[in-house]
Amino acid sequence: MSHDLPGSTNVVVIGGGIIGCSIAYHLTQFGISDVLLLERKKLTSGTTWHAAGLVAQLRASLNMTRLAKYTVELFEELELLTGQATGFRNTGSMTVALNDERLQELKRQATLARAFEVNCRVIKPEDIHNDWPELNLDHVKGGVYLAGDGQTNPVDTALALASGARKGGAQIVEQVEVADLLIENDTVCGVRLSDGRSIRARHVVIAAGMWSRDFGEKHGVSIPLQAAEHFYVVTESIDALANMRPTLRIPDEQAYYKVDAGRLLFGCFELAAKPWGINGIPQDFEFGTLPEDFDHIEPLLNLAANRYPPFADAGLQLFFNGPESFTPDDRYLLGETPEVKNLFVACGFNSIGIQSAGSAGKVLAEWIRDGYPPMDLWDVDIRRTFPYQSKRKFLVERTKETLGLLYAMHWPYRQFETARNQRLGPVHSELIKRGAVMGELAGWERPNWYSTTIGDTYTHSYGKQNWFDHCKQECLALQNSVGLFDQSSYPVFRVTGADATQLLNLISTSNLDVAIDQIVYTQWLNARGGIEADVTITRVAENEYMVVSSCASERRDFTWLQRHASRFNDVFVFNETENIMMIGLMGPDSHALLKQILGLADGTALPDYYQSARFEKSQVIVRANRLSYVGEPGYELYVTTGDALALYKAIVEAKPDITHAGFHAMNACRIEKGYRHWGHDIHDQIHPYAAGLGFTIDDNKGDFIGRDSVLKSRGKQTRRLVNFAVMGDHLPMLLHDEPIFINGQQCGLTTSAMWGHRVERSLGIAAIHHEAGIDRQLLGAELFEVEVAGERFPITPQLAAFYDVKNEKLRVRPS
């Protein structure tokens, strides 16, 4: 079939599921009518058509809940806005706990919900029985009820969005396949169709669902997602279900129940999933189903028959198996790709595509319109992902786990169990011998804590963790002697060339035109003054710098550096993360130990605080940077990966009993010092003064990105990060996003928290808001509280750190 298509347009959206339709709809709502949506088959024919249609508001964080709330609000009025029926009904939902740990999790979620202004209440078994009287209440401890949740018809809702998009001027065309992207100078400039025609475009969005990975791979774009089989059954009519009921979720049995016109839809997220389309998704797959696999879900069907007895007696009208796409961390993929400018993605929705569609379409449309995201979207930003995650073997193995994690216990500090050992530091095997218990971040195996028992592992809890005492010993060793950190995972970038200083001064808040071997702590800002990156930079030569970033944001930060470097003629940037390893030596004895391992004579100068020095020992080049993220004097030692094992062995030979410390200890210590962490406390929507990082700004050095915006934000701060300690004897375990109250009124949320072993207090960092301004007087005069699982605890907030307030420990000159 030949279609009359434009030769150029503003935005091409590839994919006509509910996500693509929502993007097109919202673009037109924001005044961008020059939109072309291309669907290779029929609208909704991939995954949308067979979705269960559940619409929930509560997610794991503030920003994700804000997005989910918007989708509910949109669906409630979409029929009125477009004239197309959607089938949306506000039914409410219940989530049931079968054990005390799950109930604790749900109570924490209820606290989060109220903090996010979501109507949620903790309910008792009898409340559940009122709405689901036939339910077997064996082992039921209670649950939560969200009155604002609902359900919708996925196809009708997608078509309503498409109708609204057309009314706004968008062109939506079916039976047109996009074969390739048109890319020039690392910037997308259009698409080429399978019939050979080309369409120029300023922006292209890949919203092709489970086909997105393979399409991206053709163009060197990593989009890590994998299809997996998802099962549900629909019964024949059940008399008891004549009236609508709240959606029922029983995550401890991996199950959800939805009433559908007198029938019962039972779906599940089994703990061991079945990846599908391992060698690629068939191009002719349309409104497709997969073979039944009764044996695979029979155990869950048996649990359902016991839990809801009418299910056992009802006939099955439909046994459904259809594919849905899942990502390596169960969070969807959104935003501009790091590989290609103006190329956006919106895919990998992990079975929550319907309830995410409205919000994902809205924020991506705003991102395209404005050139930047409208809110902190790091949770779902595609720049958090890495190319290794798109490998087939990795995706297949990880997807077996991630589907089931949707309903598994969401334990704090839980680590992925599958597809591990992707990136190993050069001393990894030596650390295992020392009792390292590894976590994984950005593919790196990192020691989170050390046990006296080789092969020890996590025992999860919402209370005191099984590694608590191990972490304490590591922190005290840092305070009293010296500890060793494996920091192989820290990204290291090299910037060289005659324009290197000019580039770094353009993107940094601090002045980088400093003496050789000077270290500078700085932020990279966007034009609005938000913090894009939090880095340390060492000038190692006249025209060469070493930039050290944080593990999770490696890809994001390097992309930011690369794209701004392209504006200069004589500057080159390199990602040296795989070639350079960092070992941290922290604690008051670090000076003496460093001299010993380097064979330095008495009187040989070591670098002062925020100074760097280069040493050579037995043909091993070591760069020692004197700085600390734990609040104790110490050094970051940089060597080539090939020399790392030799340096490590020199350290442990010089001090065989040296304490090895993990990232839990580092996190505890940095919170005692009030040090910020990008992605938790700071992000691209907070400026340095609000973050307590105004000291990094040098407004005398000339222009830098975000200068005007951030300088306007000086003065009285109505929003501010503060440090706090929990008071009293009964201390809860804090995580993040717990609400903070001032005189009984909610004023903010925690951003990170940990037990401070050097001060023996439960500590945290919180983002708070107060219209009259936030200063020491306010923090000292008013009643502040934090709420955890429905219970409030008094806290002491302050701007200063709780440990070594004046940085006296850090500035001691080495003898």
Side-chain angles (χ1 to χ4, degrees):
M1 181 185 298
S2 178
H3 297 275
D4 185 18
L5 299 176
S8 65
T9 188
N10 189 339
V11 184
V12 169
V13 180
I14 305 172
I18 194 169
I19 302 299
C21 292
S22 178
I23 295 166
Y25 170 79
H26 283 93
L27 284 167
T28 63
Q29 292 296 300
F30 295 140
I32 302 175
S33 59
D34 196 9
V35 177
L36 175 63
L37 185 153
L38 300 175
E39 164 55 43
R40 65 184 186 90
K41 297 293 185 181
K42 299 285 290 183
L43 295 183
T44 78
S45 63
T47 296
T48 299
W49 73 276
H50 63 71
L54 305 183
V55 185
Q57 303 168 85
L58 184 59
R59 307 303 301 161
S61 67
L62 167 63
N63 288 329
M64 293 301 98
T65 298
R66 286 173 59 190
L67 294 179
K69 280 183 62 181
Y70 170 77
T71 295
V72 173
E73 293 164 359
L74 174 65
F75 287 1
E76 285 177 332
E77 61 178 3
L78 189 60
E79 181 174 347
L80 180 64
L81 293 172
T82 66
Q84 165 79 41
T86 65
F88 178 80
R89 299 185 66 176
N90 186 279
T91 62
S93 75
M94 291 178 166
T95 302
V96 174
L98 302 185
N99 53 66
D100 292 333
E101 292 83 2
R102 179 73 72 176
L103 186 59
Q104 171 72 1
E105 176 180 289
L106 295 181
K107 286 182 177 180
R108 284 176 174 261
Q109 289 183 354
T111 290
L112 293 179
R114 289 190 291 270
F116 304 156
E117 299 181 346
V118 172
N119 185 354
C120 178
R121 61 184 175 89
V122 177
I123 55 177
K124 298 178 180 180
E126 51 266 33
D127 299 317
I128 300 167
H129 199 254
N130 287 338
D131 282 296
W132 287 85
E134 306 85 11
L135 199 70
N136 179 351
L137 296 182
D138 287 351
H139 306 294
V140 171
K141 301 289 185 176
V144 293
Y145 175 73
L146 289 100
D149 286 359
Q151 57 182 254
T152 196
N153 182 300
V155 172
D156 290 346
T157 305
L159 295 180
L161 290 165
S163 174
R166 289 190 179 100
K167 290 180 179 179
Q171 186 175 357
I172 297 177
V173 184
E174 299 175 306
Q175 305 296 341
V176 172
E177 182 178 358
V178 176
D180 296 290
L181 299 173
L182 302 178
I183 300 173
E184 298 175 0
N185 299 318
D186 298 323
T187 302
V188 74
C189 56
V191 298
R192 183 167 53 250
L193 307 182
S194 58
D195 63 10
R197 287 181 292 174
S198 294
I199 301 172
R200 305 288 290 186
R202 294 177 59 192
H203 309 88
V204 176
V205 183
I206 301 174
M210 53 192 170
W211 286 270
S212 299
R213 179 210 171 274
D214 292 346
F215 185 78
E217 184 180 44
K218 291 169 55 177
H219 304 89
V221 176
S222 173
I223 305 177
L225 56 80
Q226 172 64 50
E229 301 182 25
H230 180 55
F231 301 86
Y232 60 77
V233 299
V234 180
T235 69
E236 296 176 346
S237 294
I238 297 176
D239 291 341
L241 301 181
N243 297 319
M244 184 58 68
R245 296 184 179 187
T247 299
L248 179 68
R249 296 179 178 88
I250 307 181
D252 295 310
E253 294 180 342
Q254 301 104 59
Y256 61 89
Y257 301 79
K258 166 191 167 184
V259 176
D260 183 7
R263 302 167 299 173
L264 182 68
L265 184 152
F266 164 82
C268 56
F269 291 98
E270 67 277 19
L271 295 180
K274 295 181 63 180
W276 179 78
I278 294 172
N279 296 316
I281 310 301
Q283 286 299 309
D284 60 352
F285 194 80
E286 178 184 13
F287 295 113
T289 62
L290 305 179
E292 296 181 2
D293 190 345
F294 183 85
D295 292 341
H296 180 68
I297 66 166
E298 183 180 13
L300 299 184
L301 293 174
N302 291 336
L303 288 175
N306 177 67
R307 182 63 56 191
Y308 187 69
F311 177 70
D313 300 325
L316 293 185
Q317 185 181 85
L318 174 66
F319 186 113
F320 186 84
N321 180 11
E324 297 185 5
S325 56
F326 293 81
T327 64
D329 59 5
D330 272 338
R331 289 178 278 149
Y332 54 87
L333 306 173
L334 200 71
E336 187 181 18
T337 67
E339 297 93 345
V340 180
K341 296 178 185 177
N342 293 339
L343 176 65
F344 292 80
V345 298
C347 51
F349 280 85
N350 305 283
S351 282
I352 60 167
I354 305 304
Q355 65 191 50
S356 303
S359 55
K362 176 179 182 292
V363 296
L364 195 69
E366 291 176 293
W367 198 333
I368 292 170
R369 178 193 65 185
D370 300 332
Y372 55 85
M375 57 185 287
D376 176 17
L377 292 170
W378 181 237
D379 279 350
V380 293
D381 193 323
I382 191 171
R383 290 174 292 176
R384 78 184 188 277
T385 66
F386 290 82
Y388 76 87
Q389 295 174 315
S390 285
K391 295 179 180 178
R392 291 287 187 196
K393 182 178 180 182
F394 174 90
L395 284 170
V396 169
E397 186 177 351
R398 177 59 62 84
T399 302
K400 293 176 183 177
E401 178 182 11
T402 52
L403 182 146
L405 289 181
L406 293 173
Y407 275 18
M409 283 291 296
H410 300 98
W411 294 116
Y413 307 105
R414 186 196 184 280
Q415 304 296 315
F416 287 109
E417 298 174 1
T418 56
R420 295 288 295 268
N421 296 320
Q422 299 297 316
R423 304 171 83 180
L424 302 180
V427 299
H428 175 267
S429 60
E430 297 296 322
L431 303 180
I432 295 296
K433 296 175 186 176
R434 292 276 180 163
V437 180
M438 294 291 179
E440 179 264 327
L441 185 63
W444 287 101
E445 293 296 317
R446 312 195 322 162
N448 278 347
W449 55 285
Y450 287 83
S451 173
T452 54
T453 303
I454 304 300
D456 205 351
T457 187
Y458 283 87
T459 301
H460 296 297
S461 169
Y462 273 105
K464 185 176 178 180
Q465 304 292 309
N466 70 313
W467 44 264
F468 183 90
D469 291 333
H470 298 277
C471 182
K472 177 179 180 179
Q473 295 306 313
E474 294 168 22
C475 293
L476 295 182
L478 297 171
Q479 181 182 32
N480 298 317
S481 59
V482 62
L484 181 151
F485 288 99
D486 168 29
Q487 295 175 260
S488 308
S489 60
Y490 277 49
V492 179
F493 312 141
R494 183 160 57 95
V495 183
T496 67
D499 293 334
T501 302
Q502 189 178 354
L503 162 65
L504 291 174
N505 265 340
L506 172 68
I507 65 176
S508 303
T509 58
S510 306
N511 189 357
L512 271 298
D513 193 4
V514 295
I516 294 173
D517 290 332
Q518 176 72 46
I519 304 169
V520 178
Y521 170 57
T522 190
Q523 274 76 50
W524 295 346
L525 308 183
N526 54 45
R528 301 163 310 285
I531 299 174
E532 289 286 342
D534 181 66
V535 299
T536 57
I537 303 177
T538 306
R539 190 171 198 171
V540 299
E542 179 66 23
N543 293 325
E544 183 173 352
Y545 293 82
M546 179 177 71
V547 179
V548 181
S549 180
S550 60
C551 182
S553 59
E554 173 188 346
R555 201 164 178 229
R556 174 195 178 106
D557 296 346
F558 191 62
T559 299
W560 188 263
L561 182 62
Q562 279 182 309
R563 291 189 175 178
H564 289 289
S566 66
R567 301 164 62 174
F568 295 87
N569 294 322
D570 191 359
V571 68
F572 306 91
V573 299
F574 306 91
N575 188 339
E576 301 280 12
T577 305
E578 303 289 344
N579 304 321
I580 296 177
M581 178 200 178
M582 185 204 309
I583 293 178
L585 288 184
M586 300 293 159
D589 294 345
S590 59
H591 309 304
L593 179 57
L594 183 58
K595 282 191 172 183
Q596 182 179 353
I597 63 175
L598 294 177
L600 301 180
D602 290 342
T604 304
L606 290 173
D608 287 332
Y609 189 53
Y610 267 77
Q611 295 290 320
S612 179
R614 183 178 181 272
F615 301 94
E616 183 173 351
K617 170 67 174 176
S618 301
Q619 297 183 324
V620 174
I621 306 299
V622 179
R623 176 166 291 279
N625 279 16
R626 187 173 168 202
L627 70 169
S628 172
Y629 196 49
V630 297
E632 304 292 351
Y635 302 88
E636 294 177 348
L637 307 180
Y638 297 88
V639 294
T640 64
T641 301
D643 289 335
L645 186 58
L647 175 62
Y648 173 81
K649 288 185 175 180
I651 295 171
V652 297
E653 287 172 5
K655 187 174 177 57
D657 63 343
I658 189 170
T659 297
H660 287 57
F663 281 91
H664 290 330
M666 180 179 287
N667 193 41
C669 291
R670 72 97 180 168
I671 291 178
E672 287 177 310
K673 287 292 295 175
Y675 291 155
R676 309 323 192 200
H677 187 276
W678 200 93
H680 290 90
D681 313 302
I682 53 179
H683 44 76
D684 61 7
Q685 302 292 315
I686 189 172
H687 61 74
Y689 289 109
L693 299 173
F695 63 88
T696 69
I697 297 172
D698 185 345
D699 56 351
N700 296 316
K701 70 164 181 144
D703 194 24
F704 58 88
I705 295 173
R707 182 181 188 275
D708 292 345
S709 295
V710 78
L711 292 183
K712 289 178 182 178
S713 70
R714 284 194 299 196
K716 182 178 71 173
Q717 299 298 315
T718 59
R719 296 183 183 274
R720 185 71 157 80
L721 290 181
V722 301
N723 308 311
F724 70 88
V726 184
M727 311 303 293
D729 298 326
H730 176 52
L731 300 177
M733 190 185 81
L734 303 176
L735 299 172
H736 60 79
D737 283 334
E738 291 92 357
I740 303 291
F741 296 84
I742 177 171
N743 299 326
Q745 297 297 314
Q746 185 179 326
C747 65
L749 297 168
T750 62
T751 55
S752 53
M754 203 79 172
W755 180 266
H757 293 284
R758 294 176 298 187
V759 298
E760 285 296 315
R761 303 178 78 177
S762 179
L763 304 176
I765 299 173
I768 64 173
H769 172 256
H770 193 260
E771 280 299 329
I774 299 166
D775 53 24
R776 289 178 176 84
Q777 182 177 357
L778 172 77
L779 299 179
E782 309 299 338
L783 172 64
F784 284 83
E785 298 171 295
V786 63
E787 183 175 324
V788 183
E791 186 176 357
R792 294 187 186 178
F793 303 85
I795 61 174
T796 298
Q798 60 188 46
L799 299 178
F802 282 90
Y803 182 74
D804 188 25
V805 177
K806 297 181 180 181
N807 285 335
E808 295 171 336
K809 288 176 173 284
L810 296 175
R811 299 183 186 279
V812 172
R813 296 183 65 87
S815 58

